[in-house]
Structures are given as C-alpha cells and as structure tokens.
C-alpha cells in the first residue's frame, strides 16, 4: 500500500454490498457489527420497517458469522454441540438451533444449513471460532472453516419478496418451503437461496460469492423497483423481530461465554426454547444440566406481553400487583407495534408468578418532564406477528 | 459370555488395589492389562539378559492401611520396611545424608535449622494428612459430607494457631528455592531437600506456587516423605497386590489391550456397559473402572462425542508432559561412589538448586539438558533377583528430559542423552563405565509408548495446585465418578494421585461400594 494508514487494522471492514448501500444510506447512520460497517438505518427506521411489513426490504447479513463444517464426523460433532437432533436435518434444509455450556446456559443461537451429508454451514450472530474449535477436538474427520468473508449474504424480507425473486427469473423459488435451500444458476456460478429470515414474515436469504454480490444487488433492485424494495438496517430489523418474538443477544439473552455473574445467562427453557432441546438424543453438551433444569422448571420464563396504553415499556420492571410491591421480572424488549397495533414487549418473568397478574411500571418523558404509570400486562402465547403467507407454499405473488 | 460386576482397565498398582477391594466385597472383577505382566510403571521387565528394572524404583508412601486391609504382608510385601537414606552426592565425596530427621555432612547451623524445618514442615503436612484415603468434597455442593470435609480442612488449619496458620499459607505457595534459601546454607542440602517437591513434575526450584505444596503433600503421607525399598523392591509390592487380588477372586487377563469403552445410548442417556479389546472381543460389565490416565480414558477410550464440550476441554488441557527419563544400567559389580561405603539409599545428583533450574531451563524450551540432575537407586541391593549373582542394576530418574524434544526424539538424540547422563554419574563413580554390561535409556516419549501413559508422565497428570485434591483430574470427575454413568476412574490421575500410593484405587473402590 502506498498511503500508509496507521489505523488500517482498526478500520471497519466493508461488506461486498457496501458500494450500493453507501449510496442509499442518505443519513450516514452507520454502526458496526462483528467488525463490519453496518447500517442502523438508511433513511428512516420506521419507513424501512413499513417496507418490510408492506413491500420488501434487504438487510445485509454479511457480518453474520458463517462457518463451514465438513467431514465424515461433521454431523456427530454438531450433534454433540447443539441441543437439536442434527440427524433429522435433511440435505438442503435449515434448522434453528441453540448451543449451551456444560451447565446448560445458552452460548448462542443460530442456523444450521445441511448442504450435503457431510457438509454443513452454521451461522450465528457472534464469533464462535473458539467454541467450534473446542467442539471439534477429538473428532478425527471434521474440518471447521470460518467462511464469513468468503460468502456474501443478503436477507430479502417482506410480502413482495417472492414476487421480486420471480421477477428476477429465479425459477424454483415457488416450490421452496420454509427452511428449504435452493441452489440456482447465476451467471455461470451459483446463487444459494434459503427460505429463512429474522422478521417472522415471508422472506429469503441469498448467499453468493463476494465478487458477484453487486451483480446480485443490481438485478434484485432492478426487479424490485415495482415492488417497493428498500434497504433496511438494524433498527427496523429489531422492530420486526420483536413482533415475531425472536430473541436477540444482549437483549433477551446474555451469551453464556461472556457472562461473568452467576446465572446472569439463560437456559433454553428460560427463553421458551425448550422445543429445541431433544432429550431423545442420548447425549449432547449440557444434556445432564438441561434435564435437571427441565425437571426443576426454569426459574425465569421469557414471556410475550400485550401492555395497556401506548407507552413502550423499555427497561421496565414487572410486578405481581398494581402497588408494585413484588418485583417479578424485567422487560427485555418493548415497542409500540404498528403492524399489530399493540403495545408489545418480551419480558423475563419468574416462572412461579406467571399464573397471577402482571403489572408494569413504565417511565416516559414528555418535553423534559418524567412521568410514570403502572399498567396491566396480558400474556400472549403466540408471536405477535404471524401472517399465513410466511408459511404458504407457493407463497402469494403480489 | 462371562458377565462381570466390574471391569478394570489396567493392572497398575491402583487398578490392582481397586480390584482387590471390590473382589473382597463380593464383586466379580475382571482386570484387563495390555502388557504381558501386571504392574504398569511398577512392572519390572528385562532390559538386558538377566537384568530387570521397573520405572518406579522406590516406594515412599504406600498406605499401611491398604496393606493391612489387603493383607499384603502375607503376599510378600511389608510397607513398614526401614526407610532408606537420601544422599545428596558431593563431587569431593562430601555428601549430605538425610535419614529421617537426622542430617549428616552439613554444618551445625544447617543441622539445627533442619530440626526446626522438619518440625514445622511435618506440622504443616499434617493439615493435608487426612485426605490421602478420602474422596474429595465437591465444590459448590450442599451435601453434608462435602461441607464437613471442607470444614475439616478449615478446622485443621485453624488448629495450627494464628502464627502457624499464617506461616502455612505463606509457605505452601512458596517456590522451593525461597524456602530452602530461608533455612539453609549448604547448596547440596538445599537441592536435595527440594528434590521431592519437584520429582516427576514440570517444575524447578524457582517455579512459583506448587513445589512446596507438592513437597508438603508427599510429607503428609503415612511415611512422612521417607522413601523405602521393601525387601523384594517395587516388584514385591506389585506381586503382593497381584496375589491379593487373585486370592480375592479377581480375574486378571494380560495382553488384553482395551480399544474402547462401550457406551450404550438410549433416551435415558448414556451408560458404560463394557469394553472392546483391540482384537474386537467385547466384554460386558455393570461398570467400567479405568486406571488409565484421564486423557487416554476420556479422549481415546470413551470418545468426546459422549462428553460435554467444557469437560472435554478441561481434560484436553490437563498438563501431562513427562519430564523424567529413565536410565537402567546392568553392572558387572557393585558401583563405588567416591566417599560412600555402600550406595544404599536414594542418591541425588544435583550440586545446587541452580543446577536443577538450568536443567529445567533447557527442557522447558524443548532441549535435552546439558547437565541433567538425577536420582539413583540400586534396586539389586534390595531384590537380588533383578540381576545375576554379584551383579547389579542401577536405576536413575533423570530430570529434566522433555517429552517433546525439538526435532523429535531420534536414536541418536536418545544415545547422546544417555551418554551424557552416564558421564555425569562417572564424575561421582569413576569406574562406572568399565562396569556397564548393558544399558537402556527411556525418554518420556518411550515411556508414553511402551507403558501407554499420556506424555510418559508417571503421575498421569502434573502435580500442581490446579490439578490436585478436588481438582484432580478436573471437577466433574474428581470423585472417581465420571460424567458417564457406569464409568469410574481409579488411576494416578485421580486424587491423591501419583507415586506408588494406592490411594486412588482404594478411594475409587470405596465410592463404588458406597
């Protein structure tokens, strides 16, 4: 390099989609994710959220960590690491998984793509290299490679997402069921399409070599012009995922390997993810501890709340009575949901109090004055946002 | 097919102790030994026609209680035999002789200091004493017995009184070098006294935190740290254990190399149900007890797919690299050491603590030591059967010889190390070279291969504060039970571990018998 940049190693990496995203990020609202420059929003978070719910949007998931795990022992290695039964994941299918410490505390969640009998891709929000290395030790035939920089990925989410793929001429997407993987020809190379996402709505994730990333972007935006395509950032993602009741690290759960205080991390049962823990598997890491947790019942349970009024309950405590004398939990994420038209929240609540009333004390500000109110919460069993199109195959072509 | 209550992997002394206890309590026990004879690192084998030796060459604290329980005396072993002196060899024939609490060859200041040193060290060692034949408490357990055991440690400490308790806590974590410098003048005396805190370990006098604790730990044994060679030597211990085990009904099979531990998988989880031998034969039992080292047991025999990832990682990072080589010499006659009438004792060649430190410095960077330090014993003085009439065997633990030599161990590298060791012995026993009729030098890599012990480490895993007591080999397996139901540990990698003690085998049997 001619121009010696003294901070070269410190600067944020640029995603393969960055040249286009830079043009569209008219607010210059950048933050960072795993060392990549990453948009909080491009124009307006609420606007982008409405695009995701009403038309479609693209969300750059290049910074998400991606690992290729291959070899004759790859299945056994992953099966011991995650709580779900990896044997049941068929080739060209994706499964949402969690993995835990020996004590059954959740390290992270992510998705496992089965690309062949002996080849998988694991994606997750935070770097997982060290845990994967530990997990692979002792298996003779398994190779783990961090392919984060070798694979560009773009999430296309929203009701018109299928229509955009059709308009692009990507044949076969009509028969892709949720969690299916398609490998399609793309300019003498391949484009991998998975019917997955983080918005709870119809959507896809597109996986491609970095040098074809801009070509994919351009074709997608050319086809998507009539379908309201718009890039969206972290802020809109966070709104959409909360409506879908998906958990976020550092919000709903504290990654176990980064947790210092005793049991300030969570178990899958506390996060309502007991359905991911397959005790029919004779062994997986944390099985003994989780069996005990299941027997004893989780101390906390992540609960979906519909809250009276319209003031978001961010950071609020939950009480078992209106007088707020017995604190029983805390809100992890909250918002006014435009799509559901409800004041929604996820909260960690002591399981033994779930049978009784739940009240939340909300603090809010109006022109520099602080106000508070105590309002009632109603528990919801289903995610707040679950449109039928998210599951329909073929999906509606708007 | 025969069905057993228990299969024990390995007929080392701990495996035999455990087997004998179980069989005496009515269990049907099968011991599977990969080698052709029992004894493990205590097994004697011919290294030169007519000459035999074992890796372990003395017994410092084999438990009298175990010997009594198993009636080892009636099978030819008496642990109460007279201790042998430890002799720090001096080049000019001015040796230091340590015989229990007696010290010869040092100045009057050192003799007086040695009396005080023994008194306080033994007082401190007594704090650790109750734990040799006890299962360690679990950390974080609310179980009464566990809490009581912790309470007992605290009580023992408190009973020392304020001053001694403070001194204990200071001294227990001191490098050996500081402890010796505080107390003594004579360099050979300091080196010799620090020897037992270092033997077998990846530690030298200046290494922090562990050497004095390891020394205290050895002193806390029933023999208060004294080394002895019973009539019949190490061989007598092994053959008496074999005899006691067989008399109790234990079935011993040799050349039975266990390839893996069979694990049954079901919706209820895992359980160990038997073993598969290298030849494909399977043997079933209600439980499997491994006296193999923890890494071999968990990583090779069980397989990581049956273990939690955090636990596996703790086993993986156990420090198991051996730093002791073994020299065996077949001698045509009794070797004569300058200034010694009879080479009867443990002869330490370490002129000063720097000599030990420098030898360690070489080894820790992967080089063979230019001036190795060592402990020599003549087993043929105690067990005439190991050499032809009138001839002798010299056995030496040579430190510090690294497992992982830069460039790897070749025949040439081994020969060079062997010759270097003999050259050093010859400084003290000038005629030794003309007396040699056969020789064998085993590096830790040789010991690892020939005795199937990870790293060639005689203690299976390093004796260091993080791998001792309720941390041995690691939490989750420190009470002889393992995370796999039906699988137990009973080898040196478990508390109290290391040396020829028998504690691990005894304690494992007590846990299994409930």
């Amino acid at each position: 390099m001619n121009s010696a940049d003294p901070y070269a190693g410190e600067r944020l990496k640029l995603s393969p989609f960055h040249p286009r995203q830079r043009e569209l990020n008219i607010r210059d609202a950048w933050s960072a994710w795993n060392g990549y420059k990453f948009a909080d929003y491009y124009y307006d978070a609420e606007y982008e959220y409405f695009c995701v719910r009403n038309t479609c949007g693209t969300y750059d998931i290049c910074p998400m960590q991606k690992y290729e795990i291959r070899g004759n022992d790859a299945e056994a290695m992953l099966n011991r690491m995650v709580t779900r039964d990896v044997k049941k994941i068929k080739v060209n299918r994706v499964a949402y998984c969690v993995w835990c410490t020996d004590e059954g505390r959740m390290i992270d969640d992510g998705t496992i793509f089965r690309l062949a009998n002996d080849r998988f891709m694991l994606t997750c929000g935070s770097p997982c290299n060290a845990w994967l290395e530990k997990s692979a030790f002792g298996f003779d035939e398994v190779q783990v490679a961090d392919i984060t920089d070798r694979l560009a990925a773009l999430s296309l989410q929203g009701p018109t997402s299928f229509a955009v793929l059709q308009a692009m001429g990507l044949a076969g997407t009509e028969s892709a069921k949720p969690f299916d993987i398609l490998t399609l020809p793309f300019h003498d190379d391949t484009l991998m399409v998975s019917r997955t996402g983080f918005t709870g709505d119809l959507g896809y994730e597109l996986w491609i070599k970095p040098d074809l990333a801009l070509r994919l972007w351009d074709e997608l935006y050319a086809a998507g012009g009539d379908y309201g395509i718009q890039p969206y950032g972290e802020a809109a993602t966070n709104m959409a995922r909360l409506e879908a009741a998906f958990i976020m690290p550092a919000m709903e759960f504290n990654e176990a390997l980064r947790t210092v205080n005793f049991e300030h991390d969570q178990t899958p049962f506390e996060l309502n993810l007991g359905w991911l823990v397959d005790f029919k598997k004779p062994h997986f890491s944390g099985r003994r501890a989780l069996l005990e947790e299941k027997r004893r019942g989780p101390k906390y349970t992540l609960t979906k709340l519909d809250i009276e009024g319209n003031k978001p309950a961010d950071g609020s405590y939950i009480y078992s009575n209106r007088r707020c004398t017995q604190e029983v939990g805390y809100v992890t994420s909250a918002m006014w949901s435009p799509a559901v038209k409800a004041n929604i929240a996820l909260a960690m609540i002591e399981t033994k109090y779930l049978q009784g009333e739940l009240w939340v004390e909300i603090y809010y500000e109006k022109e520099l004055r602080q106000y508070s109110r105590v309002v009632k919460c109603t528990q919801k069993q289903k995610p707040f946002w679950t449109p039928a199109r998210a599951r329909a195959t073929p999906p509606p072509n708007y | 097919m025969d069905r057993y209550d228990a299969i024990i992997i390995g007929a080392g002394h701990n495996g035999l102790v455990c087997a004998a206890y179980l069989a005496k309590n009515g269990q049907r026990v099968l011991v599977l030994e990969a080698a052709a004879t029992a004894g493990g690192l205590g097994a004697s084998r011919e290294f030169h026609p007519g000459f035999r030796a074992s890796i372990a060459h003395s017994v410092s604290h084999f438990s009298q209680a175990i010997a009594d329980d198993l009636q080892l005396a009636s099978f030819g072993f008496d642990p109460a035999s007279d201790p042998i002196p430890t002799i720090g060899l001096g080049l000019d024939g001015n040796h230091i002789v340590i015989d229990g609490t007696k010290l010869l060859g040092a100045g009057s200041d050192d003799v007086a200091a040695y009396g005080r040193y023994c008194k306080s060290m033994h007082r401190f060692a007594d704090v650790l004493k109750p734990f040799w034949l006890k299962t360690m408490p679990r950390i974080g357990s609310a179980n009464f017995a566990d809490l009581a055991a912790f309470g007992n440690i605290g009580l023992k400490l408190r009973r020392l009184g304020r001053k001694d308790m403070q001194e204990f806590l200071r001294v227990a974590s001191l490098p050996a070098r500081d402890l010796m410098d505080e107390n003594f003048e004579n360099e050979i005396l300091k080196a010799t006294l620090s020897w037992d805190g270092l033997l077998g370990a990846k530690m030298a006098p200046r290494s922090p935190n562990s050497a004095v604790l390891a020394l205290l730990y050895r002193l806390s044994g029933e023999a208060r740290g004294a080394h002895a060679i019973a009539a019949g030597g190490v061989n007598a211990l092994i053959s008496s254990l074999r005899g006691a085990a067989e008399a109790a009904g234990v079935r011993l099979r040799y050349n039975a190399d266990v390839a893996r531990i069979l694990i049954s998988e079901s919706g209820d989880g895992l359980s160990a149900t038997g073993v598969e031998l290298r030849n494909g034969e399977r043997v079933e039992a209600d439980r499997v007890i491994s006296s193999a080292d923890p890494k071999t047991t968990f990583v090779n025999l069980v397989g990581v797919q049956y273990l939690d990832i955090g636990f596996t990682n703790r086993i993986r990072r156990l420090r198991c690299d051996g730093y002791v080589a073994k020299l065996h010499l077949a001698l045509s006659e009794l070797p004569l050491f300058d200034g010694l009438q009879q080479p009867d004792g443990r002869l330490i060649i370490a002129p000063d603590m720097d000599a030990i430190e420098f030898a360690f410095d070489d080894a820790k960077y992967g080089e063979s030591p230019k001036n190795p330090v060592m402990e020599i014993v003549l087993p043929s003085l105690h067990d005439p059967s190991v050499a032809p009439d009138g001839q002798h065997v010299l056995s030496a633990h040579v430190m510090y010889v690294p497992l992982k030599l830069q460039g790897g161990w070749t025949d040439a590298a081994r020969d060079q190390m062997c010759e270097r060791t003999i050259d050093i012995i010859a400084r003290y026993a000038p005629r030794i070279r003309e007396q040699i009729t056969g020789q064998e030098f085993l590096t830790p890599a040789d010991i690892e291969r020939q005795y199937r012990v990870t790293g060639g480490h005689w203690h299976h895993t390093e004796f260091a504060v993080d791998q001792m007591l309720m941390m041995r080999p690691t939490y989750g397996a420190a009470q002889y039970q393992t995370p796999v139901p039906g699988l137990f540990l009973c080898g040196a990698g478990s508390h109290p571990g290391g040396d020829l003690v028998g504690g691990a085998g005894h304690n494992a049997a007590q846990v299994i018998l409930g």
Side-chain angles (χ1 to χ4, degrees):
Chain A
M1 278 200 345
N2 312 337
S3 57
D5 176 357
Y7 306 110
E10 296 293 318
R11 298 204 187 272
L12 293 174
K13 289 191 277 189
L14 300 179
S15 137
F17 299 112
H18 188 75
R20 299 294 181 269
Q21 295 181 152
R22 184 182 56 212
E23 298 300 315
L24 294 166
N25 196 330
I26 55 183
R27 304 296 183 206
D28 258 343
W30 300 105
S31 60
W33 179 19
N34 291 337
Y36 278 90
K37 194 169 188 174
F38 183 71
D40 261 346
Y41 54 91
Y42 289 82
Y43 168 62
D44 176 84
E46 294 240 326
Y47 172 76
E48 291 158 25
Y49 158 82
F50 278 110
C51 290
V52 169
R53 285 293 178 239
N54 295 312
T55 56
C56 74
T58 63
Y59 176 62
D60 186 357
I61 49 174
C62 293
M64 191 165 65
Q65 301 296 289
K66 306 169 205 80
Y67 301 94
E68 183 187 64
I69 295 139
R70 64 193 308 168
N72 288 335
D73 290 335
E75 182 187 86
M77 175 252 166
L78 284 171
N79 221 357
R80 175 237 205 176
M81 181 175 124
V82 305
T83 60
R84 262 184 113 156
D85 194 345
V86 176
K87 280 187 181 160
K88 291 185 182 161
I89 309 174
K90 296 195 171 79
V91 173
N92 287 326
R93 291 285 292 168
V94 183
Y96 175 57
C97 294
V98 298
W99 48 100
C100 298
T101 62
D102 294 11
E103 294 75 30
R105 318 301 297 186
M106 213 169 99
I107 293 170
D108 207 349
D109 61 350
T111 48
I112 290 180
F113 289 59
R114 185 163 208 156
L115 304 172
N117 271 326
D118 59 353
R119 193 158 68 88
F120 298 85
M121 179 171 76
L122 173 77
T123 74
C124 52
S126 298
C128 189
N129 310 53
W131 192 252
L132 282 168
E133 195 271 336
K134 284 176 186 166
S135 305
F137 166 75
F139 290 97
D140 297 331
E141 292 184 56
V142 62
Q143 296 98 45
V144 178
D146 184 343
I147 56 167
T148 305
D149 294 341
R150 284 194 264 145
L151 191 63
L154 195 64
S155 189
L156 173 69
Q157 302 284 309
T160 61
S161 56
F162 172 65
V164 173
L165 294 183
Q166 289 286 298
M168 261 180 83
L170 295 177
T173 44
E174 64 283 350
S175 56
K177 297 192 186 70
F179 296 104
D180 271 355
I181 301 170
L182 299 173
T183 306
L184 305 173
F186 189 80
H187 297 284
D188 300 329
D189 210 300
T190 53
L191 167 70
M192 186 167 88
V193 178
S194 58
R195 190 168 165 191
T196 47
F198 199 48
T199 59
D201 208 317
L202 176 61
Y204 300 84
E205 287 169 330
L206 311 173
W207 313 83
I208 194 148
K209 278 186 191 152
D211 53 4
L212 286 171
L214 291 180
R215 208 154 177 178
L216 171 66
W217 180 283
D218 292 341
E219 290 187 18
L220 202 58
Y221 273 73
D226 292 340
Y227 296 96
I229 195 168
Q230 160 71 27
Y232 66 100
E234 180 61 22
T237 295
N238 198 28
M239 294 167 76
R241 72 90 199 170
L242 174 53
E243 290 175 339
F246 292 154
I247 59 170
M248 282 278 266
M251 305 275 287
E252 277 67 40
F253 73 101
N254 208 56
E255 296 169 23
L257 300 181
R258 297 179 179 189
T259 301
V260 175
N261 292 293
F262 183 62
E263 294 191 351
H264 279 217
D265 43 18
Q266 286 74 27
T267 69
F269 291 102
E270 289 183 323
L271 291 161
N272 244 324
L273 297 175
W275 62 280
L276 293 177
V277 183
D278 189 346
F279 288 117
K280 289 197 202 99
K281 271 204 300 187
H283 182 68
F284 54 86
S285 210
R287 185 182 190 272
R288 268 211 312 189
L290 287 171
L291 204 56
E292 176 61 16
E293 163 92 351
K294 192 185 179 192
R295 189 191 62 74
R296 204 176 41 212
K299 190 172 170 207
Y300 284 90
T301 300
L302 185 69
T303 307
K304 296 175 272 292
L305 297 178
D306 185 343
I307 299 171
E308 282 181 353
N310 61 4
K311 302 293 181 209
D314 286 301
S316 299
Y317 285 113
I318 308 281
Y319 298 89
S320 64
N321 57 48
R322 179 173 222 151
R323 287 177 299 120
C324 299
T325 54
Q326 176 70 54
E327 185 190 312
V328 300
Y330 56 94
V331 170
T332 58
S333 303
M335 70 182 280
W336 168 260
S337 163
V340 200
K341 298 191 174 40
N343 192 22
I344 65 172
L346 292 175
M348 271 297 197
I349 298 174
E350 286 186 60
T351 308
K352 63 183 173 193
Y353 291 104
L354 287 178
Q355 301 308 317
E357 291 184 356
L358 297 173
W359 294 81
V360 60
E361 185 177 28
I362 299 171
Y363 282 79
Y364 60 98
E365 186 220 80
K366 201 155 48 176
E367 293 175 340
L368 306 184
R369 304 288 179 89
Q370 296 294 328
Y371 298 85
S372 77
R373 65 166 58 155
V374 176
V375 293
K376 199 165 182 182
C377 311
T378 309
Q379 290 181 49
K380 291 286 184 191
Q381 297 311 317
K382 286 208 172 120
F384 307 105
W385 182 253
T386 51
R389 62 177 174 246
R391 295 175 298 279
T393 307
N397 190 347
Y398 293 102
Chain B
M1 188 169 66
D2 288 339
R3 181 154 185 107
Y4 293 91
D5 295 314
I7 289 170
I8 293 180
I9 300 171
H13 81 288
N14 274 312
L16 292 173
V17 167
C18 186
Y21 272 100
L22 293 180
K24 277 176 90 77
N25 281 276
Q27 299 217 347
R28 287 167 50 77
V29 182
L30 173 68
V31 178
L32 297 170
E33 169 57 50
T37 56
L41 292 168
S44 93
R45 60 169 183 42
E46 196 170 61
F47 67 93
H48 183 70
F51 293 83
R52 306 177 67 80
S54 55
I55 298 292
H57 65 201
S58 69
V59 181
S60 77
H61 42 229
F62 190 84
S63 166
Q64 181 70 51
I66 295 173
D68 291 346
D69 282 351
L70 301 181
Q71 294 159 310
L72 296 187
S74 65
F75 297 97
F77 174 72
D78 177 12
S81 46
D82 287 340
I84 52 172
T86 298
I87 302 167
L89 293 181
L91 265 184
D92 45 11
N94 286 333
H95 310 307
I96 292 286
V97 180
I98 301 164
D99 198 349
T101 51
K102 282 205 306 276
L103 173 63
L104 306 171
S108 57
D109 283 358
D110 276 347
V111 171
Y114 183 65
R116 290 193 303 273
Y117 168 87
C118 284
K119 222 172 126 194
S120 69
M121 290 296 276
H122 285 143
R123 201 158 144 67
F124 296 155
D126 283 347
V127 174
L128 299 167
K129 194 170 185 173
F131 303 121
W132 282 98
L133 295 183
K134 287 250 166 61
T135 298
M136 283 290 103
R138 284 182 172 78
I139 296 169
S141 162
N143 172 292
F144 177 76
D146 285 346
L147 292 175
F150 274 118
N152 197 16
I153 302 177
L155 197 66
K156 276 260 180 191
L157 262 175
R158 197 67 196 85
R159 280 225 199 100
L160 285 172
R162 183 188 165 87
K163 223 174 138 215
D164 275 359
M165 185 169 84
Q166 288 171 334
E167 184 64 2
F168 171 81
L169 293 172
R170 185 186 76 89
V171 160
S173 59
L174 217 53
R177 172 100 201 194
D178 299 72
L179 181 70
M180 298 307 156
D181 281 347
E182 279 178 12
N183 284 286
F184 304 109
E185 293 292 327
N186 185 298
E187 290 298 333
I188 296 177
L189 174 63
K190 292 192 224 175
T192 306
L193 282 175
S194 63
W195 187 258
D196 276 340
L198 309 170
L199 188 57
K202 187 189 180 183
M203 269 188 296
R206 287 191 193 276
S207 306
N209 292 355
S210 277
V212 174
L213 188 61
L215 181 59
L216 282 172
Y217 200 61
R218 280 199 168 100
L219 289 173
S220 73
E222 290 173 30
R224 301 207 130 186
H227 285 248
I229 303 179
V234 173
N235 204 20
L237 170 64
I238 298 301
S239 66
S240 72
L241 283 170
R242 195 185 59 221
E246 283 178 332
V250 172
R251 187 168 166 228
L252 276 147
R253 276 181 63 185
Y254 303 105
N255 303 307
D257 191 359
V258 173
R260 65 190 183 99
I261 293 168
L262 298 172
I263 308 286
S264 87
E265 305 179 40
S266 76
D268 297 332
L270 308 174
S271 67
T273 57
V275 300
E276 185 178 290
L277 303 183
R278 197 71 62 192
N279 64 13
E281 179 189 344
R282 290 175 170 219
V283 191
E284 290 184 4
D286 291 345
R287 62 183 67 84
V288 177
I289 305 156
S290 175
S291 72
D293 68 88
K295 277 192 187 177
T296 298
T297 301
F298 290 114
V299 179
N300 301 343
L301 299 182
V302 172
V304 300
Q305 69 270 29
Y306 297 120
L307 302 165
D308 281 2
I309 292 164
F311 177 83
T312 306
N313 194 53
R314 296 203 300 279
I315 295 297
R316 171 194 190 182
R317 72 187 178 199
L318 287 174
R319 300 189 302 287
C320 302
D321 285 3
Y323 278 83
V324 191
K326 196 67 206 293
L327 173 69
H328 297 142
L329 296 180
L331 301 173
S332 57
E333 56 188 1
L334 189 65
L336 291 177
F337 287 79
D338 286 347
L340 267 193
Q341 291 190 328
Q342 175 89 337
D344 187 8
R346 281 199 305 154
L347 316 180
I348 310 292
I349 297 183
D352 53 33
M353 285 193 288
D354 276 346
I356 305 177
E357 198 73 43
F358 291 149
F360 178 59
D361 287 345
D362 291 337
K364 75 184 177 194
Y365 299 112
E367 290 166 25
S368 52
K370 287 177 270 305
N371 292 293
V373 290
M374 69 193 84
E375 168 186 310
I376 296 168
V377 156
L378 285 119
S380 46
L381 288 176
H382 302 267
D383 179 4
S385 75
V386 298
D389 269 358
Q391 304 190 52
H392 284 274
V393 170
L394 180 148
S395 163
H397 293 313
V398 185
M399 286 176 67
Y400 296 79
V401 179
L403 168 74
K404 292 165 188 148
L405 185 71
Q406 276 182 31
W409 279 108
T410 59
D411 288 349
R414 189 197 296 107
D415 289 348
Q416 186 197 31
M417 193 62 233
C418 179
E419 292 309 315
R420 211 184 271 172
T421 305
I422 296 171
D423 283 344
I424 287 189
I425 298 173
R427 291 182 197 166
Y428 300 86
R431 289 190 50 235
I432 194 90
R433 280 207 177 272
E434 18 183 304
Q435 299 173 322
I436 298 173
T437 57
Q439 66 193 50
E440 170 183 61
F441 193 87
L442 300 169
T443 68
D446 296 325
I447 296 172
E448 173 173 59
R449 197 168 46 250
Q450 294 181 24
Y451 292 86
R452 300 170 185 82
V453 54
T454 302
H457 200 303
W458 345 321
H459 301 326
H460 289 195
T461 73
E462 189 80 11
F463 248 147
V465 71
D466 60 315
Q467 300 185 161
M468 281 168 75
L469 302 168
M470 60 288 282
M471 302 292 280
R472 190 168 184 86
T474 181
Y475 51 95
Q479 287 78 24
Y480 313 99
Q481 284 161 323
T482 71
V484 181
L487 175 66
F488 296 78
L489 299 179
C490 75
S494 294
H495 169 78
D499 297 340
L500 293 171
V501 182
H506 164 273
N507 295 357
Q510 301 310 310
V511 166
I512 290 159
L513 293 168

